[in-house]
Amino acid sequence: MKQFLRIALISEHASPLAVAGGVDAGGQNVYVDQVARCLAEAGHQVDVLTRRDARGLPAVSKPHPGVRVLHVRAGPARFVPKEALLAHMPQFRQECERLLQQGPLPDIVHANFFMSGLVAHQLRQALDIPYVVTFHALGLVRRMHQAQADAFPDERIDIERMLACEADAVIAECPQDEDDLALLYGAPASRVRRVPCGFDAQEFGPMDRRLARTRLGLDPDEFVILQLGRMVPRKGVDNVIRALSWLPRGMRARLLVVGGDSPEPDERLTPEIARLRQVARECGVADQVTFVGHRRRHQLRPYYAAANVFATTPWYEPFGITPLEAMACAIPVVASAVGGLKHTVMDGATGCLVPAHEPQALAHALAYLHDHPQVAAAMGRAGLHRARSLFTWERVSELLQGVYQEVITARQDAAGLPIPVPAWPQAQPASVMAL
């Protein structure tokens, strides 16, 4: 008989309700939202605990059937950069403990990011709830690539090392993540389980390119390169812009840049846009770059479908969800050979892998796909098959459920406890419902 679980997802800075593409809104927000939805669809009861980051937010939101988002008081009710949130984690932990104690305790906690992992570790000590942690990014890896630009406190590294060795299970999202956890943090292989990120097959799929371009008002004959995601320097959008200047003369190329902190490309709200526009002017390609602003998830499919190729060349990438979404729309991907991209993008089969900081190499790959449209189409079809076979959120959810059950069973066996099969709760405690 299947065991239905009460699951608490903790994600201190990345709310599942946030619009992806902003400074602190990206893959982790999507991950938490989609994992919560799929777990609930599988019959589990899911609570997401995230920091209240704006005034007027309800104490409880219900974005999907079976999913509740609890906005936890910790620090000011406004945006605070995640680099400055560690000081607010004691209050966050206290509020999480208070909220969890008002109802039946969860069977397991799934922490997302190192600060949520610290909270989950303390909750295990206080309430005896097992936990797993997905880091989404590792501090030592970040420092290798960002050096002095990394503004996280030094305590991050010590916290991650402790969690890597003491969590009931650590979720690695790709082979590179597994290697980094073992080599940099000493994570025991017995505690590490690989579960990738995914894409929503209901949102992303192939679509007629001309129809998509008509809908978006794009030239039907240009070679369209899409860059979509968070607007921060490490994403390497400047590298894609510089690549335009290396393309062959006469090649009509258009770069669409989707992302930012507003629906329109506002330099005041998204300073990175101002920097990138300056790069485009310096490279003499300003007339080939179109900044779109952010778009909600249900609006993204036509942008993928309108593109000839999806280009993403970050300095480093723990996993990278947007390439999966492009593959799900049958679009070839040109990506930097870093992190999770080396796992999701199969070089020469579903796209091309290039060095992260070499715009000339990127331009060569883009020109090749422009000159060989049949190869590009075959890569798109192969990417679609790979995405659907390995990377749906439903599959991710199934793998996570397996990890949860393994952790719960191991702790019950160690304690000599019988394994319960709880029924779906018929009602929530009034104290929790009144939050």
Side-chain angles (χ1 to χ4, degrees), residues 265-282:
D266 190 325
E267 295 183 4
R268 297 170 301 170
L269 297 175
T270 311
E272 179 69 356
I273 293 177
R275 186 182 76 86
L276 294 172
R277 281 178 169 156
Q278 180 60 31
V279 171
R281 288 191 290 268
E282 292 172 355

Side-chain angles (χ1 to χ4, degrees), residues 97-179:
E97 183 175 343
R98 181 182 67 82
L99 292 173
L100 294 180
Q101 286 180 314
Q102 290 182 0
L105 291 177
D107 299 291
I108 193 160
V109 169
H110 182 168
N112 294 270
F113 208 55
F114 81 97
M115 288 180 281
S116 289
L118 177 61
V119 170
H121 183 78
Q122 294 167 340
L123 289 173
R124 185 178 69 182
Q125 293 175 321
L127 304 176
D128 195 30
I129 307 169
Y131 75 95
V132 305
V133 59
T134 303
F135 285 107
H136 295 284
L138 292 167
L140 284 174
V141 177
R142 179 185 173 98
R143 287 192 173 182
M144 288 179 189
H145 295 277
Q146 295 204 5
Q148 298 302 317
D150 177 24
F152 277 102
D154 292 339
E155 293 93 327
R156 172 177 182 172
I157 309 304
D158 293 333
I159 293 169
E160 289 178 338
R161 283 202 172 102
M162 180 273 293
L163 295 172
C165 295
E166 296 194 20
D168 292 284
V170 179
I171 306 298
E173 296 179 326
C174 64
Q176 183 68 61
D177 205 12
E178 284 183 296
D179 292 344

Side-chain angles (χ1 to χ4, degrees), residues 17 58-71 428 432-433:
L17 306 180
V60 179
S61 297
K62 298 181 180 180
H64 309 292
V67 177
R68 301 186 311 165
V69 176
L70 309 183
H71 294 110
Q428 298 296 328
V432 175
M433 293 298 292

Side-chain angles (χ1 to χ4, degrees), residues 17-20 203-204 294-301:
L17 306 180
V19 177
E203 287 184 332
F204 299 103
H294 79 227
R295 293 292 181 270
R296 295 190 175 274
R297 301 203 58 74
H298 70 274
Q299 299 172 307
L300 296 180
R301 184 184 175 203

Side-chain angles (χ1 to χ4, degrees), residues 337-357:
V338 299
L341 300 179
K342 295 185 295 183
H343 174 58
T344 53
V345 180
M346 298 182 68
D347 190 30
T350 68
C352 307
L353 294 174
V354 298
H357 299 281

Side-chain angles (χ1 to χ4, degrees), residues 27-76:
Q28 184 176 327
N29 305 74
V30 176
Y31 179 100
V32 173
D33 179 49
Q34 294 292 338
V35 165
R37 175 184 63 83
C38 288
L39 289 173
E41 289 177 353
H44 306 291
Q45 177 185 329
V46 183
D47 282 344
V48 180
L49 292 88
T50 190
R51 195 184 76 87
R52 181 190 298 271
D53 60 2
R55 294 183 181 276
L57 287 174
V60 179
S61 297
K62 298 181 180 180
H64 309 292
V67 177
R68 301 186 311 165
V69 176
L70 309 183
H71 294 110
V72 180
R73 294 182 180 89

